[in-house]
Amino acid sequence: MTSRPDTNAPASRSAGHLIVDSLVAHGVKRTYVVPGESYLDVLDGLHHSEIETVVCRHEGGAAYMAEADGKLHQVPGVAMVTRGPGAANAHVGLHTAWQDSTPMVLFVGLIPFEHRDREAFQEFEPKAWFESGAKRVMVLDHAERASEIVAEAMFAAVSGRPGPVVVGLPEDIIREQVHAEVHPQIPVATGGMTVEDWKSLKAALLESKKPLFIFGGNDWTQEGATAFTQWLEEHKLAAAAEWRCEGTVPFSSPSYVGPIGYGRPKPTYDLLEETDLLVFVGTVPGDVITNGFNIRQNWDQKNFIVTMDPSLRGRSGPVTHQIVSKPDTFVRDLVRMDLEVKPEWEEFTTRMRAEQEKFAALPEARTDAEQSTMDSVMAHLVPALPADTMVTFGAGEHTNWAHRYFPTEFYASMISARNGSMGYSVPSAVAASLNYPERLVVTIAGDGEFLMNGQELATAAQYGATPLVIVMDNEEYGTIRTHQERMYPQRISGTQLKNPDFALMAQAFGGFGARVERNEQIADALAAAIEATRNGQFALVHVLVPQRSKAY
C-alpha cells in the first residue's frame, strides 16, 4: 500500500531561515549586523523578512545598538556578527548588557562544524570566551533545533535578572534543510509579593520616619512606572534614581529627589545613611550606589530589595527582606497598600525635593563672546526640548550635565551604559531614533568617546535616524584626568587629545554640523541643529569648552 504524504508536516526550510522566522515570532522588529560569510544563510532569511536589518560599521556599534534596543523594550535586542575578530569586537556590548542587566541576544557565525578544533580560519571557542559574561552560551550543532535554541535564548535573556545570551551558528549547520515548526515563546515568570512580603514591607514603612525608594534597571514598562510614581506621590514618599536610570519617576515629580551614583550631589550622597528604610526596586545596592561598597554597610540598617534575581548578584550591605519580583508585578501589589501619610514622610520628601530642584536649576544662558561652556549649552538646550525628548550617553564627565539638568519625564528617556563603557553615545542614539522616529533624541558625547564609534553616523544617515549629537570637546579624557590629578597631581600623562573638526565630520557623513567656540554661537547652533532633525537629518554640534570644567 502506498503511503500518502503528510500534508500537515511543516515545509522544508534551512535552519538559518527558521532562525529568522523564530525571531519574527518573538516580536523582534530590528537586528543590528556586521555581515560575515559565516552566517550568510541567516542574512538570506532576513532578505524577505519583516525584520529590519540595520547594517553597522563596527561590531561594537552593532552590539551597543542591540543593547540599547533591549533597554527600550521588553523584547531582547538582537545583534549578529561573524566569528573570531567580529565576535571579539562585539564583546564590549555584551559586557554592557551583563553589568546593566539588559536583555540581549548576540548571534555569532562560526566555522563549519567539521572544521572544529583544527585551528581553522577565525576559529575560537564561544563558551570559553563568553561564559563569564553571559547568562547562557549555546551553539547550534543540530539544525532541527534551530527554533528551539532561539526560544531558549530569548527566554534566558529576559527571565530572572535580564542579561545577554550568545548563540553560535556554524555556517554549514545553518544551511541544512529541516522540517520543523517555529518553537512557541516560553512564558517568563514575573514573581510578585507573597502575603509575608506584603506584610513585612507594610510594617517596615509604618515604622519608618524617613523611607526612601531607589529605582533602577531596565525591566520596567511605562505603565508600571506611572503607577509607581502615582503611589509615591499619593503617600508623599521619596524616590531616587540609580546611576544613569533617571526617568522612571519623572524629573518633575515631587517625589523625585535626584540621582545616586558616581559624582552624586552631596544631599543624595548623605541620603543612604540618613534614611531609616531603603527599598530598592529593580536594582540592588551595588558598587556604584554604595560608593565602592562603603556606604550603608551597617548590619542594623533596613534594606528591602525587590529583584527577580534570587542570588542578589552584586549586592552589598544588609538585606532585611528580599522580594522576588519584576518591578511591574511588584508595583501591581504595592498600589494596593494604602497607608496613612506620616508628617515625617512629607517633611523628609519635601526637604530632599527642594535640594534636587536647587541642584537641577538651570544656569545662566550666556550669550557673551567668552569660550563656550556646557553650562550655557544646557541652559539654552533644555527649554527648547519637547516633553518626550530622550537622552543617551556613554561614559565620562560630560555625562554629568545630563544627570544634572536633562528633564527625563518617562521610563527609558535616559539610555546609557552603567558599566562605564565609552563609545556608547552615538550607537545608542541611532537605536533610540530608529525605534522612536517621532521623538527628538539627544546624545551628549565626550570628544574621546565620540571617536570610538562616531562612524555609526553613517548608519544613522543610511537608515534615516535623526539624533542630535552634542560633542563636548575639552581635548582630554576628562574622567581619567580627574583621577590623575587626585592621585598624581600636576603629572598629566596619557590623557590629552588632539581632535579633528567634528562638525565637518558630521557634514561628510551627510548630516548637519556646527562648530561652537563662543557662548554667543550656542543658541543659533542648537536651533539650527534641532530644525535639521525635524527635516530628516541627524545633527552634530561640536562645542569647544575649557579643560577642567565640570557639571558638579
Side-chain angles (χ1 to χ4, degrees):
M1 181 177 179
T2 304
S3 61
R4 296 181 179 179
D6 183 1
T7 56
N8 294 319
S12 173
R13 52 188 151 180
S14 69
H17 284 222
L18 182 56
I19 287 168
V20 173
D21 293 342
S22 301
L23 291 174
V24 171
H26 279 79
V28 174
K29 304 298 184 186
R30 188 174 288 107
T31 182
Y32 302 93
V33 313
V34 175
E37 67 272 28
S38 58
Y39 69 101
L40 286 178
D41 196 79
V42 175
L43 289 174
D44 186 68
L46 288 166
H47 178 269
H48 63 273
S49 169
E50 62 193 65
I51 296 175
E52 182 181 18
T53 303
V54 179
V55 182
C56 304
R57 271 39 180 195
H58 188 272
E59 291 88 355
Y64 278 146
M65 290 185 202
E67 196 276 346
D69 239 35
K71 284 187 166 92
L72 291 166
H73 303 294
Q74 296 290 297
V75 178
V78 174
M80 296 180 180
V81 300
T82 195
R83 58 204 178 198
N89 287 339
H91 212 146
V92 64
L94 203 72
H95 184 264
T96 305
W98 175 258
Q99 288 221 313
D100 284 24
S101 301
T102 307
M104 169 186 170
V105 179
L106 175 66
F107 289 91
V108 181
L110 300 179
I111 62 167
F113 182 91
E114 63 182 26
H115 292 178
R116 196 175 297 174
D117 299 323
R118 300 174 67 183
E119 191 65 32
F121 177 63
Q122 297 184 338
E123 181 178 6
F124 74 103
E125 171 44 56
K127 293 190 176 183
W129 274 28
F130 293 123
E131 275 192 336
S132 65
K135 292 186 69 176
R136 289 190 67 181
V137 180
M138 297 179 282
V139 176
L140 179 64
D141 283 343
H142 302 281
E144 64 273 11
R145 294 190 61 200
S147 186
E148 175 194 346
I149 281 185
V150 171
E152 290 286 350
M154 300 294 279
F155 169 77
V158 296
S159 62
R161 172 177 164 167
V165 175
V166 178
V167 179
L169 304 176
E171 65 173 280
D172 52 347
I173 301 296
I174 60 175
R175 290 197 301 266
E176 292 184 13
Q177 294 291 307
V178 294
H179 295 272
E181 296 180 349
V182 171
H183 195 289
Q185 293 187 41
I186 303 171
V188 176
T190 60
M193 280 200 270
T194 66
V195 172
E196 183 60 32
D197 293 334
W198 201 86
K199 289 181 177 178
S200 295
L201 179 58
K202 183 176 182 179
L205 285 167
L206 291 174
E207 291 172 5
S208 173
K209 294 181 179 179
K210 296 179 179 180
L212 175 67
F213 286 75
I214 296 181
F215 58 87
N218 313 309
D219 214 7
W220 296 74
T221 66
Q222 184 57 56
E223 292 74 19
T226 299
F228 181 55
T229 300
Q230 290 174 347
W231 186 86
L232 290 169
E233 292 178 354
E234 288 169 3
H235 292 87
K236 313 299 182 185
L237 291 167
E242 179 186 11
W243 190 51
R244 299 181 172 173
C245 279
E246 297 169 43
T248 302
V249 174
F251 197 77
S252 59
S253 170
S255 286
Y256 178 61
V257 298
I260 291 184
Y262 289 138
R264 74 191 79 184
K266 192 174 189 304
T268 55
Y269 183 97
D270 294 338
L271 266 181
L272 294 189
E273 294 294 358
E274 181 181 355
T275 179
D276 56 4
L277 172 65
L278 274 179
V279 183
F280 293 86
V281 186
T283 187
V284 299
D287 179 11
V288 177
I289 289 177
T290 62
N291 199 36
F293 307 117
N294 286 310
I295 304 173
R296 196 79 180 181
Q297 301 300 298
N298 188 320
W299 298 112
D300 295 331
Q301 292 169 315
K302 290 185 177 180
N303 289 349
F304 276 62
I305 304 177
V306 182
T307 172
M308 273 300 290
D309 179 14
S311 74
L312 290 176
R313 195 181 83 227
R315 184 269 317 161
S316 171
V319 180
T320 306
H321 194 104
Q322 181 187 8
I323 298 172
V324 181
S325 176
K326 286 184 175 286
D328 274 38
T329 312
F330 168 75
V331 171
R332 177 203 65 191
D333 299 335
L334 179 70
V335 296
R336 300 170 186 166
M337 192 180 294
D338 190 19
L339 305 170
E340 184 177 348
V341 176
K342 289 187 175 184
E344 298 95 330
W345 294 356
E346 187 168 5
E347 186 278 330
F348 176 63
T349 302
T350 300
R351 171 167 62 87
M352 295 312 304
R353 175 63 188 173
E355 293 281 2
Q356 161 61 14
E357 289 177 342
K358 182 168 62 176
F359 174 70
L362 286 173
E364 178 187 359
R366 293 170 55 186
T367 57
D368 53 58
E370 297 296 316
Q371 184 173 2
S372 48
T373 67
M374 281 300 294
D375 278 352
S376 192
V377 168
M378 297 306 290
H380 285 282
L381 174 67
V382 170
L385 297 175
D388 62 353
T389 301
M390 304 174 70
V391 64
T392 82
F393 48 81
E397 288 185 335
H398 58 277
T399 66
N400 289 334
W401 274 273
H403 284 302
R404 182 167 188 174
Y405 299 120
F406 210 93
T408 47
E409 290 296 322
F410 55 93
Y411 173 64
S413 53
M414 177 179 285
I415 302 297
S416 182
R418 293 190 295 279
N419 71 331
S421 189
M422 296 179 71
Y424 187 83
S425 56
V426 172
S428 59
V430 172
S433 183
L434 290 175
N435 275 279
Y436 297 102
E438 73 283 0
R439 291 176 174 168
L440 175 61
V441 177
V442 177
T443 193
I444 300 177
D447 49 347
E449 191 216 12
F450 175 79
L451 279 177
M452 292 185 178
N453 275 308
Q455 75 280 356
E456 297 301 345
L457 289 179
T459 306
Q462 182 173 346
Y463 294 95
T466 59
L468 166 56
V469 181
I470 297 173
V471 181
M472 188 195 90
D473 182 358
N474 59 3
E475 295 192 319
E476 65 180 354
Y477 288 116
T479 301
I480 309 308
R481 168 78 181 275
T482 296
H483 290 300
Q484 194 170 63
E485 292 285 2
R486 184 174 64 250
M487 300 179 69
Y488 304 95
Q490 299 181 352
R491 290 180 60 81
I492 303 171
S493 177
T495 56
Q496 300 304 289
L497 301 171
K498 182 67 175 176
N499 293 315
D501 188 320
F502 295 119
L504 291 179
M505 285 182 62
Q507 294 170 28
F509 280 121
F512 170 89
R515 181 180 171 93
V516 171
E517 300 182 14
R518 300 183 305 278
N519 286 318
E520 63 188 0
Q521 299 172 310
I522 293 173
D524 288 345
L526 289 176
I530 292 173
E531 184 63 24
T533 67
R534 291 176 179 148
N535 292 329
Q537 273 187 304
F538 74 81
L540 184 149
V541 179
H542 178 188
V543 186
L544 284 80
V545 301
Q547 290 194 335
R548 306 289 80 215
S549 59
K550 299 182 181 182
Y552 50 87

